[in-house]
Amino acid sequence: MLAFPAVCASWPAPTAPRVRVAGAGLPPTLMLNSVHDPATPIEAARSAHRALRGSRLVRATGNGDHGQYPGPDPCVRSTVESCLLAGAVPTGDLTCPSPEAG
């Protein structure tokens, strides 16, 4: 997996302008990340969450790594579907424990 980005590192292209993401003017944004995701480590999700004012971070602690929705975790499923179907986001950040732990 690490070999693919290495190809782009030497690609002859101009440097892209740096974009500052702040989330100003966005409606509440739901962010979902597994604490075990190798593609987007939880530290990167927390960084993006801090950059997007008004976002809510849902941390999935069980049920594998990448691709939490749709999946068997009722906490993740109900939170995401409430957002998608009714525009409802949690009032704060949320941790969805492993379904086996409950």
Side-chain angles (χ1 to χ4, degrees):
M1 180 171 163
L2 295 176
F4 294 113
V7 172
C8 298
S10 61
W11 201 303
T15 304
R18 189 163 183 86
V19 177
R20 186 178 187 287
V21 177
L26 288 178
T29 303
L30 185 68
M31 302 175 75
L32 172 62
N33 208 100
S34 169
V35 297
H36 306 293
D37 190 336
T40 306
I42 192 65
E43 295 80 12
R46 287 185 183 124
S47 177
H49 172 49
R50 283 190 299 271
L52 288 175
R53 284 177 256 137
S55 65
R56 304 295 186 267
L57 179 60
V58 178
R59 294 174 305 271
T61 62
N63 190 37
D65 50 20
H66 196 70
Q68 293 295 308
Y69 181 85
D73 188 326
C75 174
V76 168
R77 191 171 50 250
S78 66
T79 303
V80 171
E81 290 175 1
S82 291
C83 180
L84 293 175
L85 299 174
V89 295
T91 56
D93 295 342
L94 180 65
T95 298
C96 287
S98 173
E100 297 83 36

